[in-house]
């Protein structure tokens, strides 16, 4: 897996990441969602440089110009719930992509810190030979992404997978590196050092799904 750690180079991206982390600013859920979306737009631009292009001519009122367009069929596949604003950011740029939505949540069968990932809702087009952009803002243990990948494979083997995430832990990155194909790319805004005993990224930002859409029972 190739890891692209975008916040390593200073840019306006750092401000958007700081705002989703900040305990005061993150309480504004409209701003939180929009910041995730803006980060999705920046990551889209970065990953667009890695795709294959073909030239085609564009007719202007005054002449013709050869232009490079993305060659492949893209599918944006997002993990509910927290993936939704990131999905919108990707779709703002890759506006002719197909779309997939998959649910994944942590189920605590014994009401303690141990959990398993449950994948229930799955709506996706055929994926065979396509480029899948797999979006989830939080990459903590990596278990949700791996469970989603197992479900995605039933719709055909993509030619390439580009995972798009906002905050990842090094542990989670190592785990998905072991469980995704070698030619996978990870486009990650920023990487944090650790996980706490509940599997939350530290310092992270807390619960991205709750911050975007409110607490759930
Ligand atoms: O890497 P992992 O350890 O699997 O954790 C990451 C998952 O946790 C969050 O979802 P969550 O389960 O909180 O669901 P939600 O989006 O509905 O809040 C996040 O959006 C990922 O899907
Ligand atoms: O830190 C984390 C881990 C999982 N899910 C989140 O929303 N945040
Ligand atoms: Mg959550």
């Amino acid at each position: 897996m190739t890891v692209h750690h975008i916040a390593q180079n200073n840019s306006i991206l750092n401000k958007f990441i700081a705002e989703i982390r900040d305990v005061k600013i993150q309480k504004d859920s409209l701003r939180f969602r929009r910041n995730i979306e803006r980060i999705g737009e920046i990551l889209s631009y970065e990953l667009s440089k890695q795709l294959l292009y073909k030239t085609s001519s564009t007719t202007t009122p005054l002449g013709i110009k050869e232009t490079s367009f993305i060659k492949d069929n893209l599918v944006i596949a997002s993990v509910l719930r927290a993936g939704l604003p990131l999905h919108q950011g990707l779709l703002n740029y890759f506006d002719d992509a197909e779309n997939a939505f998959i649910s994944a949540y942590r189920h605590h069968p014994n009401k303690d810190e141990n959990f398993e990932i449950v994948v229930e809702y799955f709506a996706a087009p055929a994926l065979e030979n396509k480029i899948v952009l797999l979006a989830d803002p939080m990459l903590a243990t990596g278990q949700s992404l791996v469970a989603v990948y197992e479900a995605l494979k039933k719709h055909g083997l993509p030619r390439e997978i580009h995972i798009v995430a906002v905050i990842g832990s090094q542990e989670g990155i190592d785990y998905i590196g072991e469980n995704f194909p070698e030619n996978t790319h990870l486009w990650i805004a920023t990487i944090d050092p650790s996980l706490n005993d509940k599997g939350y990224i530290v310092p992270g930002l807390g619960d991205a799904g709750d911050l975007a859409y409110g607490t759930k029972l």
Side-chain angles (χ1 to χ4, degrees):
M1 184 173 76
T2 309
V3 180
H4 307 265
H5 181 184
I6 309 302
Q8 260 177 338
N9 299 317
N10 281 334
S11 74
I12 187 65
L13 173 64
N14 294 351
K15 176 178 182 266
F16 304 153
I17 299 169
E19 287 195 2
I20 58 173
R21 290 186 191 273
D22 188 299
V23 280
K24 290 199 189 98
I25 302 173
Q26 67 172 200
K27 289 198 173 72
D28 177 350
S29 62
L30 176 66
R31 190 168 191 87
F32 183 83
R33 292 191 301 270
R34 181 64 188 118
N35 274 326
I36 298 267
E37 189 181 329
R38 295 202 282 188
I39 293 167
E41 290 169 352
I42 290 170
L43 297 177
S44 295
Y45 179 68
E46 292 296 330
L47 89 76
S48 75
K49 299 174 191 170
Q50 188 75 36
L51 300 174
L52 294 179
Y53 285 76
K54 60 174 182 222
T55 50
S56 173
S57 44
T58 301
T59 305
T60 80
L62 301 176
I64 291 177
K65 178 72 182 169
E66 287 296 311
T67 311
S68 300
F69 291 95
I70 292 167
K71 190 172 167 204
D72 290 297
N73 293 321
L74 304 182
V75 181
I76 306 171
S78 296
V79 184
L80 302 172
R81 289 174 301 168
L84 284 175
L86 192 58
H87 189 105
Q88 190 56 50
L90 296 175
L91 194 57
N92 289 348
Y93 279 24
F94 301 118
D95 53 278
D96 39 20
E98 294 180 279
N99 297 273
F101 297 94
I102 304 107
S103 70
Y105 66 88
R106 292 177 170 190
H107 175 56
H108 297 260
N110 304 316
K111 310 275 179 228
D112 57 17
E113 69 277 8
N114 298 311
F115 61 84
E116 59 196 27
I117 307 298
V118 182
V119 174
E120 278 177 354
Y121 182 76
F122 189 94
L127 301 175
E128 192 71 30
N129 250 344
K130 294 180 185 167
I131 307 293
V132 170
L133 313 183
L134 180 53
D136 192 331
M138 306 305 283
L139 198 183
T141 64
Q143 289 180 46
S144 299
L145 281 174
V146 170
V148 164
Y149 174 56
E150 289 306 314
L152 279 176
K153 282 196 289 192
K154 294 178 190 141
H155 276 226
L157 268 192
R159 192 159 62 70
E160 249 173 38
I161 300 176
H162 293 258
I163 299 168
V164 179
V166 177
I167 305 181
S169 74
Q170 192 53 53
E171 185 183 319
I173 292 169
D174 294 343
Y175 183 70
I176 61 166
E178 287 156 16
N179 287 282
F180 275 76
E182 186 68 31
N183 66 345
T184 301
H185 288 262
L186 170 65
W187 301 88
I188 187 141
T190 188
I191 300 173
D192 280 3
S194 53
L195 290 175
N196 68 14
D197 56 5
K198 293 197 166 88
Y200 274 77
I201 300 170
V202 180
L205 52 71
D207 191 302
D210 287 1
L211 287 161
Y213 299 112
T215 51
K216 56 185 190 225
L217 291 176

